[in-house]
């Protein structure tokens, strides 16, 4: 069973961030099953649930069914070239995504990756987190530090495609996200509904989405009527990014060539 609400479909075009999360969660009602969900990130960094499907199991066949249904919605910009999609454990998602949306950038949740890193110790987990969030200018340095500290872990990590887990390895639309927290947050909101039978659960989700769309519309109307060109939340984020960028040092690598950025020097201007 696939479900996407009209307000979500029409509103998805207003979420041009190019980033989304997909996840599956177990249902706890009489007939069990799995709920698949695709949640876009809106311009304010919030959740924008677009589509759901109730399937028997989370596997390649189920994800293929789900993605083909999402494609049939015909929402402009969603899961198109350059779009980034984050998931946790694969369970067939990767193969299904390649078949339905081959040009989408597939990202991995570092929190789920850490579960396989526990055997290397706490320090390696901390260094992995540092590598995952490192900018391009320092990623190689962090990886060399990992190699010097634990060659076995470095070899293990080198087998993983950096483009799927390291922010500094690819110019993709992942913003500050390294984990699948958006979907986990949605799952917690509907947590109690997962114990209901399917129609009861979907009715609960519909009710929450109605309230969510109503609240967002009210916020948008209020922001449009405010005496400001930029919503305060966005303005604060831009100012913070400018302050952090002011601590970077940009130097030419060689004459008539690209420049290199050195971070965290806390320069005084």
């Amino acid at each position: 069973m696939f479900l996407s609400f009209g307000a979500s479909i029409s509103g998805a075009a207003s979420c041009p961030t190019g980033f989304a999360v997909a996840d599956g969660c177990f249902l706890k009602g009489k007939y069990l099953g799995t709920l698949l969900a695709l949640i876009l990130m809106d311009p304010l960094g919030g959740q924008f649930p677009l589509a759901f499907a109730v399937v028997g199991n989370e596997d390649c066949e189920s994800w293929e069914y789900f993605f083909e249904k999402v494609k049939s919605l015909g929402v402009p910009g969603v899961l198109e070239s350059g779009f980034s999609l984050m998931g946790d454990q694969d369970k067939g998602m990767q193969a299904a995504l390649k078949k339905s949306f081959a040009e989408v950038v597939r990202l991995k949740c570092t929190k789920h990756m850490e579960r396989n890193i526990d055997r290397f110790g706490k320090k390696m987990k901390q260094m992995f987190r540092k590598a995952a969030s490192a900018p391009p200018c320092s990623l190689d340095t962090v990886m060399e530090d990992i190699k010097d500290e634990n060659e076995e872990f470095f070899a293990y990590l080198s087998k993983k495609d950096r483009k799927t887990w390291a922010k500094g390895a690819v110019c993709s639309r992942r913003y500050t996200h390294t984990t699948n927290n958006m979907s986990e947050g949605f799952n917690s909101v509907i947590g109690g509904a997962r114990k209901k039978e399917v129609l009861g659960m979907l009715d609960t989700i519909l009710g929450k989405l109605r309230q969510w769309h109503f609240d967002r519309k009210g916020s948008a109307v209020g922001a449009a009527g405010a005496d400001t060109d930029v919503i305060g939340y966005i303005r604060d984020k831009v100012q913070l990014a400018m302050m952090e960028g002011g601590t970077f040092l940009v130097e030419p690598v060689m004459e008539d060539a690209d420049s290199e950025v050195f971070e965290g020097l806390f320069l005084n201007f």
Side-chain angles (χ1 to χ4, degrees):
M1 177 187 295
F2 179 83
L3 186 65
S4 184
F5 301 107
S8 297
I9 297 172
S10 60
S14 300
C15 294
T17 58
F19 178 84
V21 297
D23 192 23
C25 62
F26 295 109
L27 302 182
K28 304 175 182 178
K30 180 178 179 181
Y31 302 104
L32 302 179
T34 301
L35 176 69
L36 305 181
L38 177 65
I39 303 172
L40 311 181
M41 185 179 78
D42 68 17
L44 294 181
Q47 302 175 9
F48 193 99
L50 174 61
F52 310 90
V54 178
V55 297
N57 298 291
E58 184 179 357
D59 52 26
C60 183
E61 183 178 356
S62 295
W63 278 115
E64 186 176 326
Y65 162 79
F66 181 68
F67 287 137
E68 286 299 320
K69 287 293 186 181
V70 171
K71 179 184 289 188
S72 69
L73 297 178
V75 181
V78 174
L79 297 181
E80 294 182 350
S81 178
F83 200 97
S84 296
L85 180 68
M86 179 173 287
D88 45 28
Q89 303 178 35
D90 194 357
K91 295 185 179 179
M93 183 191 297
Q94 176 72 13
L97 190 63
K98 284 184 177 180
K99 185 173 182 179
S100 300
F101 300 100
E103 297 182 342
V104 170
V105 179
R106 171 76 162 87
L107 305 176
K108 291 184 178 180
C109 172
T110 57
K111 186 175 181 180
H112 286 82
M113 289 182 65
E114 286 181 13
R115 295 176 182 176
N116 297 321
I117 297 175
D118 286 338
R119 59 191 175 94
F120 293 103
K122 183 177 180 180
K123 186 173 183 179
M124 290 301 98
K125 183 182 290 188
Q126 293 173 339
M127 295 188 75
F128 168 72
R129 291 173 181 170
K130 184 177 180 181
S133 59
C137 57
S138 59
L139 177 58
D140 287 337
T141 300
V142 177
M143 291 298 292
E144 284 299 319
D145 291 340
I146 291 176
K147 183 178 180 180
D148 294 339
E149 188 69 30
N150 190 320
E151 290 192 3
E152 182 184 0
F153 178 58
F154 175 79
Y156 168 83
L157 204 55
S158 296
K159 295 178 182 179
K160 310 293 182 182
D161 186 357
R162 288 191 190 183
K163 294 180 180 180
T164 64
W165 61 267
K167 288 198 298 184
V170 62
C171 185
S172 62
R173 297 176 177 178
R174 67 185 304 157
Y175 303 91
T176 59
H177 292 277
T178 58
T179 67
N180 213 22
N181 284 343
M182 279 177 55
S183 64
E184 298 297 336
F186 175 77
N187 291 341
S188 66
V189 170
I190 64 168
R194 292 163 59 188
K195 298 179 181 179
K196 300 180 179 180
E197 44 83 24
V198 173
L199 293 181
M201 176 192 67
L202 294 178
D203 187 58
T204 299
I205 292 177
L206 174 59
K208 290 184 179 297
L209 285 180
R210 281 173 174 166
Q211 186 62 49
W212 184 86
H213 285 302
F214 178 81
D215 292 342
R216 279 304 178 89
K217 182 178 180 179
S219 298
V221 171
D227 185 20
T228 179
D229 294 330
V230 183
I231 298 176
Y233 172 83
I234 299 297
R235 184 181 63 249
D236 293 343
K237 295 196 70 172
V238 171
Q239 290 178 344
L240 178 61
M242 292 177 63
M243 291 176 61
E244 292 178 346
T247 68
F248 295 172
L249 176 64
V250 180
E251 292 186 344
V253 178
M254 59 182 66
E255 188 175 354
D256 297 328
D258 293 336
S259 299
E260 185 173 3
V261 179
F262 299 88
E263 66 163 337
L265 300 180
F266 300 99
L267 303 178
N268 294 318
F269 295 93

